[in-house]
Amino acid sequence: MSKCGRKKYIKTNLRQMTMETIESQQDGSVTDSVAERESADMQTQTGQNSIPTLAQVSVAGSGTGRGSPAVTLVQLPSGQTVHVQGVIQTPQPSVIQSPQIQTVQVATIAETDESADSEGVIDSHKRREILSRRPSYRKILNELSSDVPGVPKIEEEKSEEEGTPPNIATMAVPTSIYQTSTGQYIAIAQGGTIQISNPGSDGVQGLQALTMTNSGAPPPGATIVQYAAQSADGTQQFFVPGSQVVVQDEETELAPSHMAAATGDMPTYQIRAPTTALPQGVVMAASPGSLHSPQQLAEEATRKRELRLMKNREAAKECRRRKKEYVKCLESRVAVLEVQNKKLIEELETLKDICSPKTD
DNA sequence: CCCCGTACGCGTCACAAATA
DNA sequence: TATTTGTGACGCGTACGGGG
């Protein structure tokens, strides 16, 4: 990103965080924003909106530590105390959490944001604090789930159940997983085994394994570089060590028997020697030791960049999936706790009636 | 039908956090 | 300490619904 873009990034960040601050300080009206919903829910659960006059609300001091649940003690008029866990537990490093320090700083900076439209105003230290990253969704959700049994856990890496390609989880840990331009997943495992899966299929259906005959130890420094692309003849190709090409057939005429038996509509593959130049986007493996000329160095850099982009692309997809899962989880939690809150209010009313019966 | 606003998803960049 | 991973932000394209 250019310097200009970076500036824009910071400004946007400031603007959004300021909005969060303002929203959380005001009436907490319900909107589509998770952050705003969270702040509203937190107010509700602490009794500021629902039961402010009926019970004393105190936040247990032990709940302020990082990672421990925030337990709100609701003291009933009868002396009974009820432990209520926050909808969004404040000590959790929530995605939307805006710590007080940040709030103050952001508010201060935001005031000068319009007049001082330059990076010089925000020194690097402040910027770093403002831009300090929140922990990952997986971490947050797993911490939540450890506190609340009903909250599903986001599994670690390879064992994720739903967003990842359905067949990958059943494999021996692959070294590389790639997605083709048509949505198929290709995993290259340690021993040179290539496994192909269709995103649409569930379970192990659609799993294909190709074991390369030259799957021995690769030359030192060699990198398996995949790619799947639509070649001129409409077939799909990807490359494997040994300068061979796996080509997806349009028809199933050459399908190996073990593949054809699996499903009817499963694509078939054959291994060929590469016919022409590499399709766009394919960079073959190269040993670092063999790099001499500037051109080779440039190619290596390009290859590394392609690889990084590809990994980041997949990471971004996974991150978005986790984020959606996290938001869904929060929403379901909100629903559950709203019901719980309602019940508690009803219980409170009942107890209130019992404790102060009518005298006339 | 066209335009506009909104929502959503994707690829990419930058950078903090995690890991080797 | 270097590398990898995870995620916020941005820009872009697309789909969809509503209004003229």
Side-chain angles (χ1 to χ4, degrees):
Chain A
M1 189 183 292
S2 66
K3 202 171 181 181
C4 181
R6 188 88 206 113
K7 202 159 122 187
K8 193 173 173 186
Y9 161 54
I10 294 167
K11 283 193 70 173
T12 309
N13 214 22
L14 282 173
R15 190 170 62 245
Q16 291 191 346
M17 293 183 74
T18 309
M19 285 299 292
E20 275 184 20
T21 306
I22 292 168
E23 287 293 337
S24 65
Q25 285 172 350
Q26 291 177 349
D27 60 356
S29 56
V30 177
T31 71
D32 259 356
S33 159
V34 176
E36 290 155 13
R37 241 190 350 252
E38 180 173 2
S39 67
D41 285 332
M42 285 179 69
Q43 287 193 0
T44 303
Q45 67 89 15
T46 52
Q48 290 173 14
N49 286 350
S50 312
I51 48 174
T53 59
L54 297 177
Q56 292 179 351
V57 178
S58 62
V59 178
S62 61
T64 56
R66 204 175 164 87
S68 57
V71 178
T72 303
L73 294 177
V74 179
Q75 190 167 23
L76 303 180
S78 61
Q80 184 188 0
T81 57
V82 179
H83 294 254
V84 180
Q85 209 169 32
V87 175
I88 307 302
Q89 296 161 1
T90 41
Q92 295 291 345
S94 164
V95 174
I96 315 99
Q97 186 183 17
S98 44
Q100 285 183 346
I101 293 173
Q102 270 190 1
T103 302
V104 172
Q105 286 185 338
V106 169
T108 306
I109 293 163
E111 284 180 356
T112 61
D113 188 39
E114 287 298 315
S115 57
D117 191 15
S118 69
E119 281 191 35
V121 177
I122 309 168
D123 62 43
S124 61
H125 181 69
K126 279 184 180 176
R127 194 183 312 158
R128 179 156 297 190
E129 283 191 48
I130 290 163
L131 298 178
S132 67
R133 192 162 300 277
R134 297 148 174 158
S136 74
Y137 294 112
R138 180 189 296 152
K139 201 171 178 180
I140 296 168
L141 200 54
N142 287 346
E143 283 178 11
L144 282 175
S145 64
S146 65
D147 296 331
V148 182
V151 177
K153 271 201 172 192
I154 296 179
E155 298 296 334
E156 293 294 328
E157 296 304 322
K158 304 297 179 189
S159 58
E160 290 181 6
E161 67 289 291
E162 53 173 70
T164 48
N167 305 320
I168 301 296
T170 64
M171 304 172 176
V173 181
T175 56
S176 310
I177 300 172
Y178 304 114
Q179 186 174 21
T180 72
S181 57
T182 57
Q184 290 168 321
Y185 288 91
I186 300 160
I188 302 173
Q190 289 285 0
T193 302
I194 299 169
Q195 291 173 298
I196 306 156
S197 68
N198 296 318
S201 60
D202 49 6
V204 293
Q205 195 181 22
L207 180 66
Q208 301 165 38
L210 304 174
T211 303
M212 304 303 298
T213 53
N214 61 340
S215 61
T223 307
I224 295 172
V225 179
Q226 58 81 45
Y227 193 63
Q230 209 74 12
S231 64
D233 58 355
T235 61
Q236 196 177 51
Q237 299 186 354
F238 59 92
F239 292 80
V240 296
S243 301
Q244 289 172 305
V245 185
V246 179
V247 184
Q248 180 187 356
D249 292 340
E250 285 179 293
E251 309 297 334
T252 58
E253 60 204 40
L254 295 174
S257 58
H258 73 278
M259 288 184 183
T263 72
D265 56 352
M266 189 188 301
T268 60
Y269 297 83
Q270 54 178 303
I271 300 170
R272 296 179 187 163
T275 51
T276 56
L278 298 178
Q280 190 182 7
V282 173
V283 184
M284 293 301 289
S287 169
S290 66
L291 295 175
H292 296 300
S293 70
Q295 188 186 353
Q296 281 175 320
L297 287 171
E299 282 176 2
E300 172 70 6
T302 305
R303 187 184 66 80
K304 280 184 177 174
R305 177 183 152 79
E306 294 284 342
L307 199 60
R308 182 165 51 80
L309 288 179
M310 190 172 60
K311 278 186 174 180
N312 190 243
R313 202 178 303 138
E314 293 301 314
K317 281 180 188 171
E318 187 61 20
C319 182
R320 285 172 182 133
R321 187 191 67 79
R322 275 198 297 268
K323 187 174 183 177
K324 282 178 78 174
E325 194 175 333
Y326 172 68
V327 169
K328 272 186 189 173
C329 175
L330 283 185
E331 285 173 345
S332 63
R333 238 186 131 197
V334 165
V336 166
L337 287 162
E338 275 175 351
V339 170
Q340 194 179 336
N341 193 38
K342 201 175 171 185
K343 279 183 183 173
L344 284 171
I345 291 172
E346 287 171 1
E347 191 181 337
L348 183 63
E349 291 291 343
T350 308
L351 288 169
K352 199 178 155 196
D353 287 345
I354 292 170
C355 290
S356 56
K358 285 183 180 177
T359 53
D360 54 1

